[in-house]
Amino acid sequence: MKVLHERVAGIDVHKDMVKVAIRSPGEKPWTRKTEIVEFRTFYGVLQHMAAELRRRGVTHVVMEASGVYTEPVCYALAEQDFEQIAVINPAHARALKDPAGLFGQAVRVKSSRARWLDLVRSRGWPVQWASIRSPR
């Protein structure tokens, strides 16, 4: 399946911790690598997370809407220059069917939510996006 975005990040937001799956080109041609990184939810740490994503060349970020916990993450990301920051409805992400049949339900359950969101964003699968604009 064609990759639409070379470097993307999927973020799974929790009360005390944020998991980030960063997907980028692998060392060999036609391969991809995924790295999972955890951050605390203090605003200074979230700003560092956003700067780290930009340093790694991430252009598109996606996360599930998880109430008030999502807002500080969105604001920290909005301070950086990403092409798109998308917040999606968790029900839509869970109900998403794999159009190519490459990944089954069992694979989604075993892998982290951040990794699944990362895959959704990099492949450009149809999900209802609610893009976040800068708070300024």
Side-chain angles (χ1 to χ4, degrees), residues 18-132:
V18 175
K19 277 190 180 180
V20 181
I22 304 166
R23 229 167 133 75
S24 58
E27 295 175 9
K28 296 179 182 178
W30 301 100
T31 61
R32 309 274 295 153
K33 65 178 181 178
T34 302
E35 183 180 354
I36 306 288
V37 186
E38 288 188 18
F39 294 94
R40 301 290 296 172
T41 54
F42 298 109
Y43 194 71
V45 176
L46 295 175
Q47 289 175 316
H48 170 73
M49 173 199 68
E52 177 68 17
L53 292 176
R54 286 306 298 153
R55 186 187 68 74
R56 292 179 184 221
V58 171
T59 56
H60 293 75
V61 179
V62 62
M63 70 182 104
E64 289 182 343
S66 57
V68 297
Y69 303 128
T70 306
E71 291 180 21
V73 178
C74 289
Y75 292 142
L77 291 170
E79 292 176 3
Q80 299 293 323
D81 188 30
F82 292 101
E83 286 183 31
Q84 184 180 33
I85 302 166
V87 178
I88 64 172
N89 183 332
H92 293 156
R94 274 185 237 108
L96 183 64
K97 302 284 189 228
D98 181 359
L102 298 173
F103 299 91
Q105 180 70 21
V107 174
R108 270 194 284 157
V109 171
K110 289 181 183 175
S111 66
S112 74
R113 299 295 300 158
R115 183 175 290 160
W116 176 244
L117 290 171
D118 197 25
L119 180 66
V120 168
R121 178 71 261 177
S122 68
R123 304 293 172 130
W125 290 343
V127 178
Q128 291 183 350
W129 305 101
S131 293
I132 301 298

